[in-house]
Amino acid sequence: MSDALTFLVKARPQAMGHYFSFLKEAGKQLDPKTRSLISVITKVHAQTERGLKQYVKRALADGCSPAEVLDALLMAFPALGLAKIVWAVDVMLTMGLPGFTPEAMAAGGQWHDVMAADALAPGEVRRVECDGRGLFVVRDGDVFRVHDSHCPHQGTDIQQLALDGDTLTCPKHQWAFDIRSGACVRNGNTPLRRFESRVAEGRLQALW
Ligand code: FES
C-alpha cells in the first residue's frame, strides 16, 4: 500500500474502510486471476511503480503467466495507450520475472504430466519431480496449485524437509513462503513461481 493510502487509512479509517469493502464486494464474482489482472491494469493506468510491482507479483502468485499479464495490458490498450504499456513493460523488465522474455512467451510452454490427481489427499502438500523439475504440489479441496521448488531469491532447489506445516523455508538465506499461496512471508519479497495447472482425465498437469 502506498504511503498516501496508509495515511488516509489512519486519518479517515471509517471512510477508507467503506472504500476497501466496496472494492472487495465489487470483485466478489471474479476469480483471483481476473481480479489480479484488473488490479495490474489499474496500477498501469495510475503509473504507480510500487503498486504495479506488487500487483504483478500477486498476479503471478495467483496463477497468471507472464504472457497473460502482457495480454491483459495489450487488451487494455484503448484505455492505457502505448506510452503507459511501454512504461509498464520497462518496470516489469527490471523485476527479472521468470518467463518474461520474448523467447519464453513465443515458445508458450507445454503441459507436463505431474501425477494422478487423486494421489494427493485434500489438504496435502507434496514435493515431486516432474520431467527434471522439482515441484511443490498443493491440494485444497479440488483446487491444485503447483509451485516451482526453486527459491525465487537465488534459485536454491528447496526440499520437502524444508516444509514445516504450511511454511516452506529456504535453507540458504531463510526466505519463508506460505506453501498454500506461494507468498513470501518472511525475509524476502518475491513469491514462489507458480505454474498453471489443470486436471485432465484424472491426471494433474502443469504448464511451463
Ligand atoms: S536462495 Fe533461497 S533465500 Fe536465498
Side-chain angles (χ1 to χ4, degrees):
M1 194 151 67
S2 71
D3 292 342
L5 272 181
T6 304
F7 172 86
L8 286 169
V9 166
K10 287 182 183 158
R12 292 288 183 271
Q14 270 203 321
M16 294 307 289
H18 289 309
Y19 169 68
F20 286 119
S21 300
F22 164 77
L23 289 182
K24 203 170 158 193
E25 278 298 306
K28 214 163 66 175
Q29 306 301 323
L30 299 175
D31 64 84
K33 283 174 62 173
T34 306
R35 272 204 308 268
S36 292
L37 291 174
I38 291 173
S39 296
V40 168
I41 290 168
T42 63
K43 298 304 168 190
V44 176
H45 186 264
Q47 286 192 286
T48 52
E49 181 170 336
R50 193 163 72 169
L52 173 60
K53 287 180 174 173
Q54 178 190 344
Y55 279 96
V56 166
K57 286 177 187 170
R58 184 177 295 180
L60 297 177
D62 282 339
C64 298
S65 66
E68 286 174 315
V69 174
L70 188 61
D71 275 359
L73 296 185
L74 294 175
M75 285 287 294
F77 179 88
L80 297 177
L82 186 59
K84 285 184 181 176
I85 292 174
V86 169
W87 170 82
V89 170
D90 272 339
V91 171
M92 287 191 282
L93 285 173
T94 66
M95 295 171 69
L97 301 170
F100 197 75
T101 63
E103 298 76 22
M105 289 186 187
Q110 65 182 58
W111 289 101
H112 298 261
D113 184 73
V114 179
M115 62 197 302
D118 62 7
L120 203 65
E124 200 180 337
V125 180
R126 192 184 307 166
R127 188 187 183 288
V128 298
E129 292 285 335
C130 175
D131 296 338
R133 187 186 283 277
L135 306 170
F136 281 96
V137 182
V138 181
R139 179 172 180 181
D140 282 320
D142 286 334
V143 177
F144 291 86
R145 288 189 190 81
V146 179
H147 298 292
D148 196 345
S149 67
H150 288 88
C151 180
H153 182 210
Q154 289 181 4
T156 300
D157 191 8
I158 309 175
Q159 302 299 314
Q160 182 89 28
L161 277 175
L163 189 64
D164 182 9
D166 282 346
T167 304
L168 181 72
T169 305
C170 177
K172 198 158 183 192
H173 310 101
Q174 279 68 54
W175 282 26
F177 306 90
D178 176 342
I179 196 62
R180 303 219 164 259
S181 67
C184 187
V185 293
R186 203 167 54 243
N187 297 328
N189 53 13
T190 307
L192 291 171
R193 182 180 179 192
R194 181 175 168 188
F195 297 112
E196 189 176 339
S197 62
R198 69 183 182 189
V199 175
E201 295 179 359
R203 305 289 305 179
L204 176 65
Q205 301 174 335
L207 182 73
W208 67 78

